[in-house]
Amino acid sequence: MKKKIWIQVIHITVILVLAAITFAYAMFQGGFVSWFLFYSFMPFAVYSLMVCVYPLHHLHVERELTKQTYQAGDDFVATIIIKRKGHFPLLYLIIQDDLPAHLETHYGQNASKIMIFPFFRKEIQIQYSLLHLPRGEHSFDYVRLKTGDFLGIVEKETYYENKVNYLVYPKMIKVRVSDLFTDYEQGELSSHSFLRQEGGFVSGIREYQAGDRFSWIDWKSSAKRNTLISKEFEQKKTSHLTVVLDGLTPYGLEPRITLTASILSAYVKAGGDIQFISLGKNVFVQPLQNPEYHLRQALYHLAFIQGEKQGQFSEMLAREWGKWQLKTNILLIVSEMNEQLMFMMEAMVRQQCHLFIMMVKENERTLSPKEQALVKRLKSKRVQIKVTTESEFLDAIAGVNSQ
């Protein structure tokens, strides 16, 4: 506060000194030019003095948003509203929303800075946007205002506290789990996929109805009756699934999290019995027994994962696996394959676990020769493996959503 007062005193002193110099010059020099210079300078000097004493810190500043909850990739649109009591003419006003350091690095220092010329306006509104908001927690603390005079002598700056935290959840896209994970191996449909959500055992037959799947048609009965006959299935709840996410490896982290969030949401909506385990900086285990609440907890955890590499996922999986004692359907979501991870998966298969692996690669990365050999060996052990890139995954989702 004392520093601001001293700066203001210096500004006023400089203006008064310049006014005194021009007045002295006009008095001693005389003539039209010298007095014209003095009278021309005086309006600027008076305005500068008024800017010095203008209460820039007494304005009303607020931030309004188009929505309160965000997913990764959404656009952040904020409106800054400034209200003032008088009509004092402001030559210019620089408005900047104080961004957290990681967003400032991501978007640049001037992403939320706008310069306007308000003059006599009592209410001022500006709007800025941040495109494709990254996942995580973002804290906004202050709105900065800055103005000045014509001569550039006086500059006033103040900060308005407007603290608020915005949590950006992982991107979630509507998917049908059974369609997304249906895979073909060696020309035949993998019949032991535990991710299928259609019915259980065949309980009877009936005439074909619109919407029935092609795979449900009973061809023998259709040939006998000379009309399409569909199989009827016993209704049963989707089998239990445990989703295990590699939250350690920085490479491919974002598409892994998008895929995980989409699967958890889809499986919960389908009424499936699901458990989520994340192995990262912290171990997170969440059975989704209360669908809405527990899914929200899982998404909250996914929002904060940063992929801080503090070890190998395979080592952490080997260390934690014995604590779970799971003999169920396991979906591992990873981006890399190594020998230690392969040995761990083989051990899980020997313990009667039905294992499915999603390897999510970045768009320009493919399996290395070593990874190809490891994947081939796992497939020979009847481990279902699907390798996809981020773009292929999003295209598959887009195809499902368009149906």
Side-chain angles (χ1 to χ4, degrees):
M1 181 61 70
K2 290 183 178 180
K3 183 179 179 181
K4 288 185 177 181
I5 294 174
W6 275 109
I7 291 174
Q8 187 170 342
V9 170
I10 292 172
H11 288 162
I12 293 174
T13 303
V14 170
I15 295 168
L16 293 177
V17 169
L18 290 176
I21 291 173
T22 56
F23 178 73
Y25 176 73
M27 287 291 291
F28 288 104
Q29 183 68 25
F32 173 78
V33 174
S34 56
W35 284 106
F36 177 80
L37 178 64
F38 171 70
Y39 286 118
S40 298
F41 174 73
M42 286 309 296
F44 295 100
V46 171
Y47 180 79
S48 297
L49 289 173
M50 294 176 69
V51 171
C52 276
V53 299
Y54 179 74
L56 190 63
H57 57 284
H58 286 169
L59 307 183
H60 176 74
V61 179
E62 60 183 22
R63 183 194 301 111
E64 291 185 353
L65 304 179
T66 53
K67 57 182 180 179
Q68 296 299 322
T69 58
Y70 293 88
Q71 290 185 17
D74 287 351
D75 294 339
F76 178 88
V77 181
T79 302
I80 305 296
I81 302 173
I82 302 170
K83 296 179 182 179
R84 55 195 189 121
K85 295 180 180 180
H87 289 279
F88 179 77
L90 291 175
L91 175 63
Y92 69 88
L93 187 64
I94 297 175
I95 307 168
Q96 183 174 14
D97 204 356
D98 183 58
L99 299 181
H102 58 281
L103 288 186
E104 191 172 283
T105 302
H106 184 78
Y107 292 105
Q109 295 182 348
N110 298 324
S112 60
K113 180 190 289 187
I114 295 178
M115 181 177 182
I116 62 171
F117 304 94
F119 298 110
F120 296 97
R121 280 188 290 165
K122 291 183 66 175
E123 183 171 321
I124 302 162
Q125 290 190 18
I126 63 107
Q127 191 175 81
Y128 74 93
S129 59
L130 304 175
L131 304 180
H132 308 299
L133 203 61
R135 176 183 52 82
E137 186 178 34
H138 311 306
S139 300
F140 292 73
D141 294 331
Y142 302 96
V143 176
R144 182 168 74 103
L145 301 182
K146 186 177 181 180
T147 189
D149 63 348
F150 288 94
L151 303 175
I153 299 174
V154 179
E155 283 189 349
K156 296 198 71 171
E157 185 178 52
T158 189
Y159 292 83
Y160 283 87
E161 186 173 335
N162 197 326
K163 293 187 177 182
V164 64
N165 293 337
Y166 301 107
L167 185 63
V168 181
Y169 288 98
K171 189 174 185 63
M172 284 188 299
I173 310 173
K174 293 181 181 179
V175 297
R176 289 202 299 269
V177 181
S178 57
D179 289 346
L180 189 60
F181 292 96
T182 298
D183 196 14
Y184 290 85
E185 295 183 19
Q186 301 177 359
E188 294 182 359
L189 185 64
S190 178
S191 60
H192 58 285
S193 173
F194 55 83
L195 292 171
R196 291 184 155 274
Q197 297 183 44
E198 52 203 64
F201 299 101
V202 178
S203 60
I205 58 174
R206 57 172 171 77
E207 289 191 7
Y208 177 85
Q209 298 176 359
D212 286 353
R213 296 194 178 189
F214 187 75
S215 60
W216 295 358
I217 297 176
D218 187 329
W219 294 107
K220 290 184 178 180
S221 300
S222 298
K224 291 180 180 178
R225 302 190 183 189
N226 202 26
T227 185
L228 289 178
I229 301 297
S230 293
K231 302 172 186 176
E232 282 191 317
F233 297 90
E234 289 182 0
Q235 297 295 321
K236 70 171 185 177
K237 195 174 183 179
T238 310
S239 57
H240 180 80
L241 173 65
T242 297
V243 177
V244 181
L245 170 68
D246 174 8
L248 276 176
T249 309
Y251 160 71
L253 179 65
E254 291 305 321
R256 287 203 309 275
I257 289 178
T258 299
L259 176 60
T260 302
S262 300
I263 292 172
L264 293 178
S265 177
Y267 215 85
V268 165
K269 289 179 181 178
D273 183 12
I274 189 170
Q275 178 176 232
F276 172 54
I277 298 174
S278 172
L279 301 182
K281 185 178 180 180
N282 300 309
V283 178
F284 179 82
V285 180
Q286 180 64 74
L288 275 65
Q289 297 170 343
N290 183 333
E292 286 191 19
Y293 176 75
H294 289 152
L295 177 61
R296 191 160 57 247
Q297 292 294 314
L299 296 176
Y300 184 84
H301 168 79
L302 289 172
F304 285 91
I305 294 178
Q306 296 300 322
E308 299 175 8
K309 185 141 186 167
Q310 298 183 352
Q312 292 287 336
F313 170 70
S314 54
E315 295 175 355
M316 196 168 192
L317 179 62
R319 186 171 64 250
E320 296 293 329
W321 176 252
K323 302 177 183 178
W324 306 330
Q325 298 180 350
L326 297 177
K327 293 184 178 180
T328 181
N329 301 320
I330 310 295
L331 170 61
L332 291 177
I333 300 179
V334 298
S335 292
E336 296 178 334
M337 181 67 66
N338 54 51
E339 289 185 351
Q340 187 174 0
L341 183 57
M342 181 200 67
F343 292 145
M344 186 63 215
M345 292 176 181
E346 289 181 337
M348 294 165 72
V349 171
R350 287 194 295 270
Q351 294 182 19
Q352 307 301 315
C353 291
H354 300 287
L355 199 57
F356 191 97
I357 303 167
M358 285 292 299
M359 289 189 66
V360 185
K361 291 288 184 179
E362 290 182 352
N363 292 334
E364 297 182 358
R365 287 276 295 268
T366 57
L367 291 178
S368 65
K370 184 177 181 180
E371 285 181 320
Q372 291 177 2
L374 296 176
V375 167
K376 186 176 180 180
R377 175 171 168 175
L378 285 172
K379 285 185 176 181
S380 68
K381 305 286 186 179
R382 297 184 63 79
V383 175
Q384 296 184 72
I385 302 178
K386 188 177 182 70
V387 182
T388 183
T389 64
E390 182 178 5
S391 59
E392 289 173 346
F393 166 62
L394 293 177
D395 289 343
I397 290 175
V400 171
N401 286 335
S402 64
Q403 293 178 359

